[in-house]
Amino acid sequence: MLLLGAMVVIASLTGVRAQPIDLAARASLSCEATTRSATRATYACATLDSVFDGAITIVSPSPVAFDADRLPDLLEGTWLFDHGADERIEVVLDLSSPSASSGAVARLYDGRTDLAGAEDCCTRDDLRALDATVSVRAPDGWRNADGSWSTDLVIDVDGPVEVIFGGSAKLSGDLATDGHVDYTIEVTDLDDDGRPEYDVRRAHVPDAVARRIFRSGQAIERSAITVNPHHDEERIRSWIPWPFLGPVTYGFLTNSDLADNYPPIQIDWEAGRIVTVGEFVRSRGNDGQWFVYSFDELGSGATPNELEFESPFAFYDLFDADIELPELAVRMTYTSPGSPTLYAGGYPYPVSGVRYSWIQRQQDRFRQYKVGLLDRYPQDDVVQVGPYALRAFAPYATLPVWVTQRSWTGATFVAEMRPQDTPRGLGEGLNAWDVDTFSRSAFFSHVLGLGASAKDATAGADEIPEGLRGEYRLGMTAEPMLYRSPIDDELHLLHAGGGVWSQGQGDVMTYGNLNGDAYIDVWTLLERRPASAYGSATSLDEGADGALPAARERLYQLPGHLVRWDAGGLAIKRVATRHETLRAPPPATSLTWSALAERLADGDRAPARTTAPMFDRFEGDQALLRGATLLDATHLGSERGYAFLVELASIPAVSAPWLPLPLEGGRYVFGLAADGATWQVEPYRAGTLHARLETSAPTRLEPTRARLVASSDGPWPTKAHATLVVGDQPVRRWDPLEIPAAGRPATERAFTWAPLASGLQDVTLVDDDGVVLARLGTIVVAEAAPGPDRSDVASAVLPRPGAFVALLAAAVLLLAVGVNRAVGRRAS
Amino acid sequence: MIPLGPATHRALLLVVAVALAYGLATSLRYPSPWAEADTSYFARSISATIDTGTLQEPANPHIYPQGFVYQSWASALLTITGVDVPSYLRVLSPLLGVLFLGVAGLATFIRLMGSVASAVLATLTLFLIPELMFAVLRGNHEKVTLSATLIAALAVLTVIRARERSLPTAGWWSVFLMATASAVGANAYFGSLLTIALAIVLAAVASIGATNRGLAVDLRPLYRPLTQAVALGALVSIAVFFVLYPPAGSLLRVVPVALTGLTSLIEGLLNGTFSAAAAPYAVVDRDWASLAIYRLLSAVRWLLFATSFGVWIAFSLQSVRHRSLRTPDRVLALALYGAFGLLLAFAIPFDLLDIDLGSNLQVRMYAYFAMFSTPVFALGVTRLYDLLGDDARRRLVTRAVTVLFPVLLVAGHLKAVNDPLVSNVWRFYERNEVQAVRFYLEHQPDRLRTMWVGPDRRLREGFYATYPDDAIELLRFDPSGLQNPLAINLRSGADTTSEFALDTANVRAHIALLDSAPLAEAMLGTIVYDNGASVIRHVSSEAASER
């Protein structure tokens, strides 16, 4: 049963819909009295699905007229639940009203093996001697003035009960029903209508326990706050006359698939345990609420609480107020400056991360998108939840605008590529390529300036779950902005450096930005990869020879042209294309959401899985070079345009006056001017590598700075796996060393190096097979000066040896005396 | 049961004085602290025990799987006294180690040898053995296991003596139980050695008694107390292994490995195909700059071994041929020497087979063997003295020993703590160096990058020992498989994989002194941290991106 509950939770979190539990059947209880007296009655009761099937005994402190087939509305007395009618009481509910001032109190006891059977159990004094697992106090009584159930409640939980999501698993072994309150829940109904607005939970975890769990690599959520600003929480459906205890074990979350609000105190009847005190205010099951889960303790003082972790996680209704599914989920993660959870407290800045997921209507279908954002914004605002002041990025209502109208240093974008016919629950949104996990956190490290290189930061850019497309933006700080490309009619992240779409069955399309501007301009359908290759760290940005990765198709969007290559050949089409057909930030309001939906409806079509439909949808003058092979492509700069290295198997039979084609087969460089006006085709010739080593006064064993300068007189940039060798010493290997085409600035690689041998040394650049790529002349390495002596170190470490020598001398003297006397005594 | 006259008091005073001087000399050898692998491990283990108040995983993130007594005792001591862990390891621990060994040795040897003067000679000989002294000077459990082993042996000897005189023995059995439990609890394997040695002694005594009935001494009174001691010791070991401290049970996993290895070794030796899986003696070449000086400083080991072995052979043969052994004590002194010698011999194949029971089992076992060889050595010296006829010769021997012992003491002390003069394994470190390490770990960008901290473990262990709490905290996400963020590179000097490098005068000197080692290339990287004496350098981002 717990497993089932966990599955529902997991399903709700991942957005996967599990087979729903028939909660209505479970909540319907039919009872029939078996014994009745003035103060005690026992009923045989069962839910429709027999999750509870047993005896309920009610003991009243004063005479009551018990009905034969209906449980009494008794709120002063003791309820004994005996699932299975086996004379073993699983749960005891003791309801009382000690005084008018203290309100009404319910105490729940579970897992007791020391209680007598229902016949003799239990006097109130018996129960008061025990520690209650859950105590519910309603300061103003159980009922509101309008007759609804009061949800102004204070609840103490003492024992291994799930109160904060995931908490009991982490605290396994630390929680027991021992008289020490482990959790406190404060439920607040501001307008006394039975629909609570706040659910504030605090875990009272000893510091030593929290430290231990932290050391094991986890952290305990000590605070959980859920707020319903729309005042529209569902009223709890009651099962027995006291509404907060239910037969349904749906788990901790009242998730978005369960609109009905079932009683939150949940029992595992087979085990006889209270397993969960669920949410009184739904954290996810509504479309207008927000919550905070934090590792920090919540204080009620004047100083606002700075709460780390999910702070907040907010859900919004952007479409169709009649259904309770949120269309927008904004998960803000916050780490305070110097937080121990980040680099052991060594990072002195705040870290703010965003998962901004929304469901977007496109014509009559729905797709989910996500923008992941990362920067160092502090929480400058303050919001009030009852007596608790919380630091916040922005109030709930304006948070989406705050996110989308702000510049962020790191950004990712993820799109569902399989539209849905009906909107699904968001769950917690798309978690793929979250900014803190994308590329195994190197992205995070790079964006925050913590050392990871840009190359490392995108090393995971080929790994994304099937059906999703991801793009990343690095190297600039800007507002999150999307545009729609006319080539594939898809939304893309403006200024994306690249991306990938895992289509399934081994088909992968990658996205490139050849000229480094704001737009995707290369679509590559890769050679089909075996399914087992999914998730591997195989890099897509280089093939085995350092050139382009193996591909089936490529499509380039160039000034005034589309260029497409596949096994059939190379097609060049003169077309007038734009870079974008719309530009918009992620929607933050119903208005912008609807506007985007409207603009997307125009020309929306199913995502193209290959490049042919993208190419074919544009009309233009076309040259098809059959059998041509595209070997490489490069951007030569904003003035020189683009170049393609093409292998022509034969003389192409095309008539395109704007394309000056050669008269024989071979390898050619096709150059397109920067303005797209003209093509130039010239035969490819291998260039000669020119390289030199710049260094000054190298000395054996002394690190020295040096610089390799490499250029070529060939028309095409090349790459080589090159190793610099000085004498016999391999000094450095570049994998690859990029050598520019003639006329381009030479490649310069600075490095530090310590020569191993002195004297005249030959310098060469060789490939991995030892073939000399270039001879760089000779250098003279001077002999090293003698190094420090051990005695130098010893004298530095032991500058004043007096005490040491004196004590050792004392030991020696004493030893000599002792030995002398010990041996001498034998003589005497 | 131990003579407590003025001679014993004077002997105790002398031993305590020598121990204090020796221990303090070690503590003050450098103005800077020192650390090695076990010291730093126990620094973290003691610190975690104090912090968590438990010896159990996972609450305690740094247990010592082979035992629990030392860190419990040390954490209690430090909690009561308020002394911090690094100070304890640097100053108190060496002092306590030498004191425990000296006092326990004196008490045991008086009982074993029956003469305070001989016992003093044997006890002072302990201070000459560098391997033994290093074991008690450093910050690990061995000061407890070694001294508790001596006290347990004392208890057995006293029980035997008490039974001869029909005196009550319960008190000494209690001492035996407590001492054995302390030793086994501190280290389940080494703490069990005395029980194994006593079992060997029992077997030897029983077989000699059965086959050589004409001995001058009646060995039968030894049977029962030895049997009881072995049984009690085995019970204690079993209780620790299986009940009190189950993590120690993991040691038993080595048993099938050892059996398989020994079988293959025997087969290999018979077939002539054996090749060692490890070269335990090669570390000497690596660790010492001068083999000649190493041999000189180690002279006492061979002197002690040769002398004691000669004496043991001579006395044993004499006892068999001439039935000259007249007291059970003398029998036990020889038998314990033989038993620990046998156990040391067993360690040789373990090391050759590279079976993990502590790094270099022979070195670890030698400490226990050496402890029981000093009485035999002292027996030999006094016997030689007795054999000399005239006083002139005896005075000559007395003077020779009076000169030789101090020389050997200085040599032994130098061998234990001579770095950086001759040893390549440096243990000293300076505060500014470990501060730099701490800064790096607190600010490390992620676990994909490492900082090179020199050619050996000096600064790793120094950091662990100085900041044990931080070491646990900062390295908590260091499950096996992830690389240690503090990279070391033995002998080659140049580390090509670390993105950061620690640059200190000592690191530079260490590299320069090791043969053919260029300075690390990273040492010309950009300075990203400087505390005035230690610098952290960052390899150029270009070089990093080329990898």
Side-chain angles (χ1 to χ4, degrees):
Chain A
M1 198 160 293
L2 284 172
L3 182 64
L4 188 64
M7 286 170 65
V8 171
V9 170
I10 291 166
S12 71
L13 290 178
T14 55
V16 176
R17 186 190 293 261
Q19 188 65 33
I21 305 167
D22 186 356
L23 296 171
R26 189 165 297 178
S28 300
L29 187 72
S30 59
C31 296
E32 186 178 347
T34 54
T35 61
R36 282 186 289 171
S37 69
T39 58
R40 176 183 285 260
T42 298
Y43 293 82
C45 299
T47 57
L48 282 181
D49 62 356
S50 299
V51 163
F52 179 85
D53 187 350
I56 298 176
T57 300
I58 301 146
V59 183
S60 171
S62 55
V64 173
F66 291 104
D67 288 342
D69 55 359
R70 181 173 166 274
L71 295 173
D73 292 333
L74 185 71
L75 296 176
E76 182 71 36
T78 306
W79 295 58
L80 310 172
F81 296 87
D82 176 7
H83 176 60
D86 55 1
E87 289 294 306
R88 189 176 72 88
I89 297 167
E90 277 76 23
V91 173
V92 178
L93 167 65
D94 183 36
L95 295 162
S96 63
S97 301
S99 66
S101 59
S102 62
V105 175
R107 291 187 177 82
L108 289 111
Y109 305 83
D110 69 342
R112 310 300 312 204
T113 56
D114 48 355
L115 294 178
E119 282 297 314
D120 305 314
C121 184
C122 304
T123 67
R124 193 155 273 172
D125 288 340
D126 289 341
L127 294 172
R128 294 289 156 83
L130 303 175
D131 295 320
T133 304
V134 176
S135 299
V136 183
R137 187 160 57 87
D140 302 324
W142 295 123
R143 296 277 188 183
N144 290 317
D146 65 358
S148 62
W149 287 99
S150 171
T151 46
D152 274 315
L153 305 170
V154 178
I155 302 169
D156 290 331
V157 180
D158 174 12
V161 179
E162 189 82 28
V163 175
I164 292 179
F165 183 62
S168 65
K170 292 175 187 170
L171 290 168
S172 172
D174 291 306
L175 298 179
T177 305
D178 54 5
H180 167 78
V181 174
D182 299 307
Y183 297 96
T184 300
I185 306 170
E186 296 161 83
V187 186
T188 305
D189 180 2
L190 295 172
D191 40 11
D192 292 336
D193 61 354
R195 302 174 188 271
E197 281 77 34
Y198 304 153
D199 181 325
V200 177
R201 296 170 181 234
R202 291 177 292 143
H204 308 294
V205 182
D207 286 341
V209 173
R211 271 203 306 276
R212 187 200 77 222
I213 292 170
F214 186 68
R215 282 179 170 164
S216 72
Q218 294 183 305
I220 281 289
E221 286 87 349
R222 288 175 152 183
S223 306
I225 303 157
T226 309
V227 176
N228 181 332
H230 290 177
H231 304 271
D232 64 351
E233 189 58 52
E234 293 286 331
R235 285 177 172 153
I236 293 170
R237 294 165 54 124
S238 58
W239 169 66
I240 59 170
W242 190 71
F244 304 113
L245 172 69
V248 180
T249 49
Y250 56 83
F252 174 64
L253 297 171
T254 310
N255 63 54
S256 42
D257 291 341
L258 301 174
D260 289 326
N261 219 354
Y262 286 88
I265 301 175
Q266 303 159 42
I267 316 293
D268 179 344
W269 292 107
E270 297 299 330
R273 309 285 312 195
I274 300 170
V275 290
T276 306
V277 179
E279 297 166 328
F280 288 74
V281 178
R282 289 169 289 171
S283 61
R284 296 160 178 81
N286 208 339
D287 58 2
Q289 81 284 349
W290 58 274
F291 68 84
V292 172
Y293 286 171
S294 177
F295 309 133
D296 301 304
E297 287 183 285
L298 186 64
S300 57
T303 306
N305 290 276
E306 189 173 24
L307 299 176
E308 291 196 337
F309 190 42
E310 291 174 327
S311 179
F313 202 149
F315 296 81
Y316 298 87
D317 179 19
L318 300 182
F319 163 69
D320 193 354
D322 293 337
I323 58 171
E324 286 193 339
L325 294 177
E327 284 78 37
L328 172 63
V330 184
R331 177 182 186 258
M332 305 294 301
T333 54
Y334 177 69
T335 309
S336 59
S339 166
T341 60
L342 187 63
Y343 304 126
Y347 192 69
Y349 308 104
V351 177
S352 41
V354 186
R355 181 198 299 161
Y356 193 96
S357 296
W358 75 100
I359 293 175
Q360 184 65 53
R361 191 185 68 202
Q362 295 183 210
Q363 286 190 326
D364 296 328
R365 307 181 81 189
F366 296 87
R367 284 168 73 174
Q368 191 173 167
Y369 295 100
K370 184 274 285 285
V371 171
L373 302 165
L374 181 66
D375 215 298
R376 297 176 178 173
Y377 292 116
Q379 291 186 322
D380 284 336
D381 217 327
V382 176
V383 297
Q384 197 74 29
V385 178
Y388 303 106
L390 314 181
R391 299 205 72 87
F393 293 106
Y396 166 78
T398 57
L399 183 63
V401 174
W402 186 91
V403 169
T404 54
Q405 295 188 357
R406 185 161 294 255
S407 294
W408 297 84
T409 304
T412 59
F413 172 65
V414 179
E416 270 187 343
M417 297 300 280
R418 293 170 185 159
Q420 307 293 323
D421 292 332
T422 54
R424 293 186 317 179
L426 266 174
E428 292 198 339
L430 290 171
N431 58 13
W433 284 27
D434 270 357
V435 286
D436 50 352
T437 56
F438 171 50
S439 185
R440 301 184 306 277
S441 85
F443 182 85
F444 188 77
S445 167
H446 176 77
V447 171
L448 297 180
L450 285 164
S453 68
K455 186 174 180 180
D456 287 341
T458 56
D462 60 337
E463 298 175 24
I464 197 163
E466 185 179 321
L468 297 182
R469 171 166 56 87
E471 294 172 6
Y472 60 87
R473 187 194 77 198
L474 275 180
M476 70 179 302
T477 300
E479 294 173 12
M481 190 62 69
L482 308 174
Y483 73 95
R484 188 187 207 185
S485 166
I487 306 300
D488 60 5
D489 275 336
E490 287 292 320
L491 281 179
H492 296 277
L493 180 67
L494 196 70
H495 291 290
V500 64
W501 170 19
S502 176
Q503 300 180 349
Q505 299 180 326
D507 286 330
V508 174
M509 180 173 285
T510 65
Y511 301 79
N513 189 338
L514 189 63
N515 60 3
D517 66 358
Y519 303 100
I520 294 294
D521 54 15
V522 187
W523 288 256
T524 304
L525 186 63
L526 297 180
E527 288 285 3
R528 180 163 288 166
R529 293 197 290 179
S532 60
Y534 172 73
S536 74
T538 306
S539 174
L540 295 181
D541 55 3
E542 286 174 5
D545 59 353
L548 294 171
R552 281 186 280 163
E553 301 176 11
R554 294 183 191 286
L555 175 67
Y556 296 87
Q557 183 186 12
L558 306 173
H561 294 79
L562 289 178
V563 174
R564 180 175 177 272
W565 168 84
D566 65 10
L570 184 69
I572 303 175
K573 186 184 285 184
R574 300 184 78 181
V575 295
T577 59
R578 290 175 294 161
H579 280 298
E580 60 184 42
T581 53
L582 72 83
R583 180 186 290 206
T589 62
S590 297
L591 202 62
T592 53
W593 185 90
S594 300
L596 182 60
E598 197 171 314
R599 296 176 72 186
L600 287 172
D602 179 24
D604 186 41
R605 49 177 71 90
R609 296 172 62 89
T610 66
T611 60
M614 303 183 210
F615 185 79
D616 293 342
R617 73 174 57 148
F618 293 91
E619 297 293 332
D621 191 9
Q622 176 177 329
L624 175 59
L625 312 183
R626 294 189 187 283
T629 303
L630 177 62
L631 298 173
D632 205 352
T634 187
H635 180 235
L636 299 172
S638 58
E639 294 180 356
R640 300 185 62 199
Y642 301 82
F644 296 84
L645 185 59
V646 179
E647 185 85 45
L648 296 177
S650 59
I651 302 167
V654 295
S655 172
W658 45 271
L659 189 63
L661 288 171
L663 299 175
E664 58 184 18
R667 186 170 291 190
Y668 292 88
V669 176
F670 283 53
L672 176 64
D675 59 1
T678 57
W679 283 92
Q680 187 177 1
V681 180
E682 61 181 71
Y684 170 83
R685 62 179 175 79
T688 303
L689 172 63
H690 301 280
R692 66 179 189 277
L693 179 66
E694 296 176 353
T695 182
S696 61
T699 303
R700 189 174 83 87
L701 305 186
E702 285 290 338
T704 182
R705 294 291 289 174
R707 188 201 321 268
L708 176 78
V709 181
S711 61
S712 162
D713 57 8
W716 191 259
T718 55
K719 296 174 181 174
H721 306 284
T723 302
L724 180 72
V725 180
V726 177
D728 297 329
Q729 179 193 5
V731 171
R732 184 161 291 266
R733 179 174 180 271
W734 290 276
D735 183 19
L737 179 67
E738 293 172 349
I739 303 157
R744 301 290 297 161
T747 292
E748 295 188 2
R749 295 299 177 94
F751 58 95
T752 305
W753 153 66
L756 288 180
S758 59
L760 194 64
Q761 309 277 321
D762 288 326
V763 184
T764 54
L765 205 56
V766 302
D767 68 12
D768 287 351
D769 297 325
V771 176
V772 175
L773 300 171
R775 295 188 186 282
L776 287 68
T778 58
I779 60 168
V780 177
V781 178
E783 184 51 69
D789 189 74
R790 282 176 189 270
S791 58
D792 297 337
V793 181
S795 60
V797 175
L798 184 56
R800 290 181 298 281
F804 163 63
V805 171
L807 283 163
L808 195 59
V812 164
L813 189 65
L814 289 164
L815 184 88
V817 170
V819 169
N820 185 281
R821 295 193 61 174
V823 179
R825 178 162 297 176
R826 298 287 307 177
S828 62
Chain B
M1 298 295 288
I2 296 174
L4 291 174
T8 306
H9 290 151
R10 280 196 299 274
L12 182 62
L13 203 61
L14 176 76
V15 167
V16 167
V18 172
L20 281 176
Y22 192 102
L24 276 173
T26 305
S27 298
L28 296 175
R29 196 205 66 153
Y30 303 123
S32 57
W34 62 287
E36 47 76 55
D38 274 27
T39 305
S40 75
Y41 190 95
F42 276 93
R44 283 169 283 165
S45 193
I46 294 167
S47 186
T49 305
I50 292 171
D51 193 29
T52 62
T54 177
L55 294 160
Q56 287 188 321
E57 283 184 310
N60 184 330
H62 213 282
I63 67 159
Y64 176 58
Q66 279 83 48
F68 62 95
V69 162
Y70 178 59
Q71 57 271 43
S72 335
W73 171 79
S75 60
L77 181 72
L78 301 193
T79 304
I80 292 165
T81 59
V83 176
D84 61 278
V85 175
S87 302
Y88 162 73
L89 292 169
R90 184 181 157 201
V91 181
L92 271 181
S93 168
L95 268 181
L96 290 175
V98 184
L99 270 176
F100 286 175
L101 181 73
V103 173
L106 180 67
T108 307
F109 297 156
I110 290 176
R111 170 81 286 142
L112 193 65
M113 305 182 75
S115 152
V116 174
S118 299
V120 167
L121 187 61
T123 306
L124 293 179
T125 306
L126 293 174
F127 293 107
L128 310 186
I129 307 167
E131 295 81 6
L132 177 60
M133 296 315 292
F134 181 67
V136 295
L137 287 172
R138 65 179 178 160
N140 76 354
H141 63 84
E142 284 180 300
K143 56 182 63 58
V144 171
T145 41
L146 285 161
S147 51
T149 297
L150 281 170
I151 291 170
L154 166 67
V156 175
L157 292 167
T158 310
V159 165
I160 292 169
R161 177 63 63 90
R163 289 177 64 87
E164 284 175 0
R165 300 179 184 183
S166 303
L167 295 172
T169 59
W172 282 102
W173 278 126
S174 304
V175 172
F176 175 79
L177 271 177
M178 283 190 287
T180 305
S182 298
V184 178
N187 183 289
Y189 172 71
F190 292 106
S192 301
L193 285 181
L194 181 69
T195 302
I196 301 170
L198 288 174
I200 296 170
V201 168
L202 176 62
V205 166
S207 56
I208 291 171
T211 57
N212 211 339
R213 296 190 184 283
L215 283 173
V217 59
D218 183 5
L219 295 177
R220 282 176 298 178
L222 297 177
Y223 294 171
R224 190 168 170 191
L226 281 175
T227 306
Q228 288 171 328
V230 170
L232 283 175
L235 278 175
V236 169
S237 293
I238 289 168
V240 169
F241 273 116
F242 297 107
V243 182
L244 284 176
Y245 198 63
S250 61
L251 268 176
L252 298 176
R253 286 191 304 225
V254 85
V255 172
V257 178
L259 290 175
T260 309
L262 286 173
T263 307
S264 66
L265 183 144
I266 293 166
E267 287 175 358
L269 288 175
L270 292 175
N271 302 334
T273 57
F274 172 73
S275 64
Y281 310 113
V283 293
V284 174
D285 290 337
R286 192 186 66 204
D287 291 350
W288 289 82
S290 165
L291 281 180
I293 295 179
Y294 163 74
R295 287 177 184 133
L296 195 66
L297 298 182
S298 308
V300 68
R301 179 201 299 173
W302 301 109
L303 180 69
L304 178 71
F305 184 76
T307 309
S308 62
F309 189 66
V311 171
W312 184 72
I313 291 286
F315 272 71
S316 300
L317 289 176
Q318 215 176 21
S319 66
V320 174
R321 288 182 183 166
H322 307 294
R323 294 162 187 164
S324 61
L325 288 179
R326 299 191 181 281
T327 66
D329 296 345
R330 187 62 52 84
V331 172
L332 285 171
L334 294 174
L336 281 171
Y337 175 90
F340 276 99
L342 194 63
L343 290 173
L344 176 61
F346 275 132
I348 296 171
F350 275 75
D351 279 346
L352 291 175
L353 294 166
D354 201 18
I355 294 169
D356 185 21
L357 266 176
S359 54
N360 202 340
L361 189 58
Q362 289 171 78
V363 172
R364 310 287 299 272
M365 293 286 294
Y366 179 74
Y368 293 83
F369 166 74
M371 208 162 59
F372 285 95
S373 68
T374 59
V376 178
F377 174 79
L379 273 180
V381 172
T382 52
R383 180 72 175 150
L384 173 70
Y385 199 91
D386 291 343
L387 290 175
L388 294 174
D390 59 73
D391 285 350
R393 288 180 182 172
R394 288 182 173 180
R395 275 195 294 275
L396 189 66
V397 168
T398 304
R399 284 173 190 156
V401 171
T402 305
V403 172
L404 183 64
F405 264 54
V407 169
L408 292 175
L409 179 90
V410 173
H413 192 267
L414 273 177
K415 180 171 185 291
V417 290
N418 77 83
D419 68 305
L421 283 173
V422 189
S423 172
N424 287 332
V425 180
W426 291 6
R427 299 195 178 95
F428 72 92
Y429 60 92
E430 297 188 65
R431 290 273 176 188
N432 65 72
E433 294 181 295
V434 293
Q435 275 172 2
V437 173
R438 183 188 191 189
F439 177 87
Y440 172 74
L441 289 174
E442 285 178 339
H443 296 82
Q444 57 178 326
D446 53 49
R447 300 305 306 277
L448 304 173
R449 277 139 189 81
T450 59
M451 178 170 76
W452 177 77
V453 294
D456 69 4
R457 303 165 61 127
R458 181 177 69 96
L459 292 179
R460 253 195 212 173
E461 309 303 352
F463 169 72
Y464 297 157
T466 308
Y467 302 112
D469 287 329
D470 290 344
I472 296 170
E473 194 77 15
L474 296 173
L475 301 171
R476 65 186 183 279
F477 300 123
D478 189 20
S480 57
L482 273 182
Q483 61 186 341
N484 191 310
L486 304 178
I488 57 172
N489 197 339
L490 287 171
R491 302 305 289 265
S492 74
D495 182 286
T496 56
T497 57
S498 292
E499 190 162 326
F500 297 89
L502 185 61
D503 185 357
T504 74
N506 290 328
V507 170
R508 285 186 172 236
H510 204 177
I511 296 165
L513 290 169
L514 297 173
D515 55 340
S516 301
L519 287 183
E521 290 182 7
M523 283 193 169
L524 277 194
T526 312
I527 293 176
V528 293
Y529 168 86
D530 185 347
N531 64 16
S534 294
V535 160
I536 296 176
R537 293 181 183 274
H538 183 238
V539 184
S540 72
S541 56
E542 179 208 16
S545 68
E546 286 170 6
R547 289 198 291 272

